Amino acid sequence: MTEPTFTVETAMVLAEVAHNRQKDKLKRPHKEHVLAVGDALADFDDDVRIAGYLHDIAKDTPVTKQALLDMGVSERAVGIIERVTRRFQDDPDSDEAVIRHIAQDHDATLVKIACNAHNSVQERVRALSEKWPDKGPTTRYADARKVLYKAVPRGEIHLILNRINPDLLSEMDQLAD
């Protein structure tokens, strides 16, 4: 059996390079987010982990599906990336429709849970609330978790949250029932 041409380590490097100069809403390096999401998926298979590291690449960079395939990213990993990318959705302006679409796919749901959990880290939520006091930055993420947590086994959610945002574990216990 031949070794895969595109590895998890390659995805980490690509994520870091592709998002190197980008900043998030709080003016922090965006690469920290994509690396944290990929790291949170360490207990899953390579395609899920690769998709975690590259989950924002189609949203934030000129890298295309074909470019990813040409680099050796598997069809499965590219499919996960496409499913979690809002602009590829039928109704990209509807948060609810986007989350429901993602939740129809087990692997995409895992990636989105990791992304959501990192975006919901208390320090980040506090900073967003201070920057935009009139907007509730956590409402959208909390609403998404109500759908996402029902789409995959609780044990898998626990693995992700334990790595990236243990503060959400008690909420998971309430929502996953």
Side-chain angles (χ1 to χ4, degrees):
M1 183 174 192
T2 60
E3 289 295 313
T5 57
F6 196 92
T7 65
V8 171
E9 292 74 21
T10 308
M12 291 171 68
V13 171
L14 179 57
E16 192 163 358
V17 170
H19 298 285
N20 188 42
R21 295 181 184 260
Q22 297 172 349
K23 303 286 185 193
D24 66 13
K25 292 175 185 169
L26 297 172
K27 306 294 183 217
R28 296 177 183 161
H30 185 58
K31 68 183 176 181
E32 292 174 5
H33 169 71
V34 295
L35 293 175
V37 170
D39 290 348
L41 297 164
D43 296 300
F44 300 93
D45 68 42
D46 286 358
D47 283 339
V48 171
R49 294 175 65 201
I50 287 168
Y53 287 115
L54 302 180
H55 77 278
D56 277 347
I57 202 153
K59 175 178 77 109
D60 296 333
T61 77
V63 176
T64 64
K65 172 184 179 177
Q66 191 57 53
L68 291 172
L69 293 169
D70 290 348
M71 285 182 233
V73 179
S74 73
E75 288 269 355
R76 179 173 166 236
V78 171
I80 297 167
I81 295 163
E82 282 188 308
R83 186 171 282 267
V84 299
T85 303
R86 181 178 286 270
R87 70 182 171 96
F88 295 132
Q89 307 278 328
D90 290 339
D91 190 1
D93 296 327
S94 168
D95 289 343
E96 184 180 340
V98 168
I99 293 301
R100 290 198 186 289
H101 179 71
I102 291 168
Q104 292 172 358
D105 181 88
H106 174 268
D107 300 335
T109 302
L110 296 175
V111 171
K112 192 62 178 179
I113 287 170
C115 176
N116 180 300
H118 187 256
N119 283 330
S120 300
V121 169
Q122 283 302 316
E123 173 210 346
R124 182 174 172 75
V125 170
R126 258 192 307 282
L128 286 168
S129 294
E130 289 169 11
K131 190 165 183 168
W132 292 285
D134 56 327
K135 292 183 181 180
T138 58
T139 305
R140 183 172 65 135
Y141 297 127
D143 289 347
R145 288 192 298 272
K146 292 174 187 173
V147 175
L148 296 170
Y149 288 178
K150 292 178 180 172
V152 295
R154 181 186 296 193
E156 293 179 352
I157 303 166
H158 187 274
L159 291 170
I160 295 167
L161 296 183
N162 210 34
R163 287 186 180 275
I164 197 165
N165 190 347
D167 291 339
L168 293 176
L169 287 169
S170 61
E171 178 191 78
M172 178 208 59
D173 287 337
Q174 294 169 357
L175 292 178
D177 286 332

